[in-house]
Amino acid sequence: MLPAPIADFRSFNRELSWLDFNDRVMSLAFDASVPLLERVRFAAICAGNMDEFFEVRVAAVQDRVTNGLHGPGADGMQATDVLHSVLDRTAGFAERHDKLVLDVLLPELSHYGIGVVHWINTTEQEREEASSLYDRLLHPVLTPLAVDPAHPFPAISNLSLNIGVLISAGSSERFARVKVPDVLPRFVRLTSTGRFVLLEHLIGAHLGRLFGDVMITGHAMFRVTRKSDLSVDSDEADDLLEAVELELRRRRFGKAVRIEFGPAADPRIAEMLMRELHLPPAAAVTHRGPLGMSSLHQLANVDLPEHHFPARLPRIPSWLPGPSGGSIFEVLRDGDRFVHHPYEAFDATVVEFVRAAAADPATEAIKMALYRMSRDGAVIDALIGAARAGVQVVALVELFARFDEGANVAWARQLEDAGVHVVYGLVGLKTHAKCVLVVRREGNRMRRYAHIGTGNYNATTAAIYEDGGLFTADPDIGRDVGELFNHLTGFSAVDSYRSLVVAPEHLRTELLRLIAVEASFGRAGRIVIKSNAVVDEEMIQALYRASQAGVAIELIVRGACCLRPGVEGLSKGIRVRSILGRYLEHSRIYSFANGEGVGREALLMGSADLMERNLDRRVEVLVPITSDDARRRVRSILEACLEDDRYVWSLGSEGGWTSIGTPTGRSAQDRLSTAFP
């Protein structure tokens, strides 16, 4: 619920709407009908989400306040109001998350043999084992950093876990900081009893050994969150790859935006740290439990199958050629094929498409846009193999994929070393489109095969993100994808595309046109949009106009939604629901009932959300779904989401989200996991 009346405003605040989303995630961690270790995982996701929120969104709001950009947005809120509301909400979130971890999850974990014990409650046997671990593995790598006239205040890296101590030095006190290293897991398992002790507690219990005979008069666990958006001037950088690498090193010490303290933190240390980091009191959060609880992922991975979601093996689509012969390219010449992850195997479809092209002597070229890549490198290995086999391989690597910049730099260098042509797209625009193009020589002609998806070419996220993809040999789509790559790699001009809808050139105008067309049909019109976020003001206003014309509008929005539904005379015909669950809903689908004429639905799928950045500052692609089978599959996704009565929330006209699911309901994800065998 928004903290201030909004009756006079037509939109909700984006930051506060995002916090509502993270609250919905936390509600799953509280839900006793969800398997215990999955609840632990949701708690870890909540904590990680909040870290990123401060690193990016709160830092941006603080910059607006600092730079005097105080004018109200469409939500009617000044930047200072937004900042105060966000900090107030996040403080409350921290309290609820502490309660979740300390009072709910850890006791339940202990009941099932996953005990996390505070140092003061360890047994003598556990202390002996832990002390041995400390002496062998921790003590040699710890480096206390003192602050005095000869030692300046230490640089505290982003999201590092630290112990601050006050040391008696004659008539005065000195501050020293000990960084908690990652030589051991955060939760240290003691083999003598099977219980876990936190790494920082193990270090804290041995501070006397670290500092010798000096007297420790105060201590505090603390953690600093810093602004983490990269600021590379791609117009000025001579070598973009090197510029990004340099900025990544600097990012660890960006402007501080938040400091967290553990329980019983010495107020003298807290005051000194906030002064040194130039943080106001509102930027400090004191927890009654451990800091940095995204590390709960470690406990969530404990091998207790009965406390996880039931195992699901992704289906192998029946249309794929078997080992006896044939190729995926022969299949695609007969018609488009839609794949739905994680219900259908990513490795057997998308990765195999690239592998098959790499191993095929008829393949002349492979072009691929890479935004976030997985650690297993299956796609990278296939591209490298193709390059070494003499295929012309082009990889468009997005160096500015937030929080994956370092990995993408490393992959880019590996690809370049293998002879792949690596490019970085257009200056000033992120390439967020998900496209692969394979060009094969077939007789005396070249034929194009394409894959266009909603998700990244990442095997890890493909197992937990819900996404769709279209394989096609359609000549118009293939030609469009080829021209898009030529535009991105060679800066060639493209006036128009035959089938694809591409941002930033045409996507905004085409979506506005489709909404307006639907509005012209009045009550006969219907729009269904599945998106990660709906925050773009122009799109919101267009949807309001369509609603006022009588169009029924269904929005399925996982995260932030600034549109205000259900308001008489404004948005009465708009319904907004949010679905969470085992998988992260990630596909973007746009359905306009009369978009291609009376009774002929326009159905598009791709990489773009209804956000200003996607519409205006990124290269995005939507592809029309035209084949009967693919249209049936995509419609089934929308229908399942609109009928979900398990993990579903509804957005009210005053800004509150209400759970409308029941423990006995069936989720869209359960339904889709058994559909289309």
Side-chain angles (χ1 to χ4, degrees):
M1 186 71 70
L2 292 180
I6 59 166
D8 296 332
F9 304 115
R10 296 160 67 94
S11 299
F12 299 137
N13 177 264
R14 173 181 173 179
E15 272 60 60
L16 298 178
S17 182
W18 185 93
L19 289 173
D20 288 337
F21 157 67
N22 212 29
D23 280 340
R24 297 196 295 279
V25 177
M26 186 157 59
S27 72
L28 292 175
F30 274 108
D31 187 342
S33 69
V34 176
L36 176 57
L37 292 178
E38 303 300 340
R39 293 165 62 196
V40 174
R41 193 181 311 281
F42 282 124
I45 290 170
C46 283
N49 285 348
M50 193 59 73
D51 288 342
E52 292 187 12
F53 179 68
F54 270 89
E55 289 175 283
V56 178
R57 300 305 310 171
V58 176
V61 176
Q62 287 181 341
D63 285 346
R64 286 182 59 200
V65 172
T66 301
N67 295 329
L69 303 176
H70 298 302
D75 52 27
M77 298 182 71
Q78 304 277 351
T80 51
D81 297 331
V82 174
L83 184 59
H84 292 153
S85 296
V86 163
L87 294 178
D88 181 64
R89 283 277 304 272
T90 53
F93 176 91
E95 292 177 7
R96 294 194 305 280
H97 198 270
D98 285 347
K99 176 180 176 61
L100 168 67
V101 173
L102 296 177
D103 302 339
V104 179
L105 295 179
L106 291 184
E108 290 192 39
L109 286 169
S110 180
H111 180 73
Y112 292 103
I114 309 172
V116 179
V117 60
H118 194 284
W119 181 261
I120 61 175
N121 296 321
T122 53
T123 66
E124 182 177 350
Q125 182 183 25
E126 287 173 330
R127 292 185 187 187
E128 288 179 1
E129 180 185 351
S131 294
S132 175
L133 280 172
Y134 174 84
D135 289 336
R136 288 185 291 109
L137 300 176
L138 278 173
H139 189 81
V141 300
L142 294 177
T143 305
L145 297 175
V147 176
D148 59 26
H151 301 86
F153 187 79
I156 299 168
S157 56
N158 183 41
L159 300 182
S160 62
L161 196 59
N162 304 273
I163 304 174
V165 298
L166 290 176
I167 302 168
S168 177
S171 59
S172 62
E173 287 181 318
R174 298 292 188 194
F175 170 78
R177 168 253 192 165
V178 180
K179 181 178 179 178
V180 177
D182 56 4
V183 293
L184 286 174
R186 176 75 182 283
F187 292 90
V188 181
R189 188 160 205 164
L190 303 174
T191 58
S192 56
T193 61
R195 298 200 295 181
F196 293 89
V197 64
L198 282 163
L199 183 59
E200 62 267 27
H201 290 173
L202 178 54
I203 296 171
H206 295 84
L207 287 177
R209 297 193 196 179
L210 191 62
F211 288 96
D213 295 333
V214 301
M215 180 182 295
I216 296 175
T217 59
H219 70 278
M221 289 297 310
F222 69 95
R223 184 171 180 261
V224 177
T225 309
R226 297 183 179 275
K227 179 180 178 180
S228 293
D229 251 5
L230 294 187
S231 56
V232 176
D233 189 339
S234 51
D235 286 317
E236 298 295 329
D238 293 326
D239 187 319
L240 190 58
L241 200 60
E242 290 184 0
V244 171
E245 287 178 309
L246 176 62
E247 191 64 19
L248 282 171
R249 290 192 290 271
R250 291 174 176 166
R251 183 169 72 179
R252 295 175 58 235
F253 303 103
K255 184 185 71 172
V257 295
R258 175 183 65 166
I259 187 166
E260 298 171 279
F261 295 105
D266 190 300
R268 296 169 295 174
I269 296 177
E271 182 182 352
M272 183 270 295
L273 287 169
M274 294 175 67
R275 183 177 64 250
E276 292 288 344
L277 294 167
H278 307 291
L279 286 171
V285 179
T286 298
H287 293 263
R288 65 182 184 93
L291 309 180
M293 281 290 91
S294 61
S295 58
L296 282 168
H297 279 294
Q298 181 190 340
L299 296 184
N301 290 329
V302 171
D303 186 18
L304 288 177
E306 66 273 24
H307 296 296
H308 288 287
F309 286 126
R312 281 180 185 163
L313 290 177
R315 298 187 298 272
I316 306 298
S318 58
W319 54 264
L320 284 172
S324 59
S327 76
I328 192 171
F329 305 109
E330 292 175 7
V331 173
L332 297 183
R333 285 199 293 272
D334 289 336
D336 296 351
R337 294 292 187 270
F338 176 82
V339 288
H340 196 197
H341 312 300
Y343 311 110
E344 293 176 303
F346 178 79
D347 186 73
T349 55
V350 176
V351 177
E352 185 56 33
F353 178 66
V354 181
R355 285 184 183 139
D360 188 344
T363 300
E364 296 290 340
I366 302 173
K367 301 182 181 185
M368 193 167 191
L370 298 169
Y371 191 75
R372 299 188 195 276
M373 292 160 277
S374 54
R375 293 179 181 178
D376 68 7
V379 169
I380 300 296
D381 290 344
L383 294 178
I384 289 174
R388 288 174 175 167
V391 177
Q392 179 178 307
V393 180
V394 176
L396 197 155
V397 179
E398 179 48 67
L399 294 180
F400 294 95
R402 184 176 292 149
F403 300 115
D404 279 314
E405 299 95 341
N408 284 8
V409 166
W411 287 126
R413 291 206 179 279
Q414 186 173 338
L415 288 166
E416 284 181 334
D417 290 344
V420 173
H421 300 292
V422 179
V423 293
Y424 307 114
L426 300 176
V427 172
L429 295 176
K430 282 187 180 181
T431 301
H432 190 246
K434 326 296 183 184
C435 302
V436 183
L437 181 69
V438 172
V439 182
R440 299 178 77 243
R441 181 182 294 277
E442 299 179 359
N444 60 357
R445 60 173 289 190
M446 295 292 183
R447 187 158 192 161
R448 301 177 181 92
Y449 299 82
H451 173 271
I452 300 166
T454 68
N456 299 304
Y457 295 113
N458 184 313
T460 301
T461 57
I464 55 176
Y465 284 23
E466 177 273 338
D467 273 304
L470 183 74
F471 289 104
T472 183
D474 181 278
D476 285 343
I477 294 177
R479 192 176 292 111
D480 281 355
V481 176
E483 291 184 359
L484 173 64
F485 274 108
N486 290 342
H487 177 52
L488 296 174
T489 62
F491 311 118
S492 60
V494 181
D495 293 330
S496 63
Y497 294 92
R498 297 162 184 81
S499 294
L500 297 185
V501 184
V502 179
E505 293 87 355
H506 311 117
L507 180 54
R508 178 182 289 278
T509 55
E510 178 61 9
L511 289 178
L512 290 173
R513 185 191 71 79
L514 286 167
I515 295 171
V517 166
E518 210 61 33
S520 71
F521 288 93
R523 294 185 181 277
R526 185 171 186 250
I527 297 172
V528 183
I529 296 175
K530 182 176 184 293
S531 180
N532 293 290
V534 175
V535 302
D536 182 81
E537 188 59 29
E538 187 176 20
M539 290 295 166
I540 289 172
Q541 297 303 324
L543 291 170
Y544 286 158
R545 289 192 294 272
S547 175
Q548 292 160 20
V551 177
I553 300 173
E554 302 272 9
L555 302 180
I556 306 158
V557 186
R558 187 192 81 232
C561 180
C562 296
L563 180 145
R564 186 179 174 195
V567 178
E568 193 71 46
L570 176 70
S571 57
K572 190 65 175 177
I574 303 179
R575 182 172 70 144
V576 180
R577 55 172 33 209
S578 179
I579 294 172
L580 301 177
R582 175 173 184 162
Y583 306 123
L584 183 142
E585 294 290 324
H586 194 248
S587 62
R588 294 89 163 183
I589 302 170
Y590 297 83
S591 170
F592 303 90
N594 301 288
E596 296 179 6
V598 179
R600 177 64 181 174
E601 175 188 27
L603 196 58
L604 302 101
M605 176 192 75
S607 58
D609 293 307
L610 291 183
M611 305 177 74
E612 182 184 357
R613 71 185 189 193
N614 298 94
L615 299 170
D616 300 333
R617 299 194 303 275
R618 289 185 171 187
V619 177
E620 306 276 8
V621 167
L622 295 185
V623 62
I625 308 298
T626 58
S627 76
D628 290 342
D629 180 68
R631 289 170 73 86
R632 178 174 62 94
R633 294 287 308 276
V634 173
R635 285 196 202 101
S636 74
I637 297 172
L638 297 179
E639 290 167 2
C641 290
L642 293 176
E643 294 171 4
D644 189 302
D645 59 355
R646 178 62 184 97
Y647 301 117
V648 60
W649 283 258
S650 176
L651 177 60
S653 61
E654 296 301 311
W657 288 88
T658 303
S659 174
I660 57 174
T662 64
T664 57
R666 190 180 185 197
S667 75
Q669 295 181 358
D670 288 343
R671 174 177 168 179
L672 291 165
S673 70
T674 58
F676 303 104

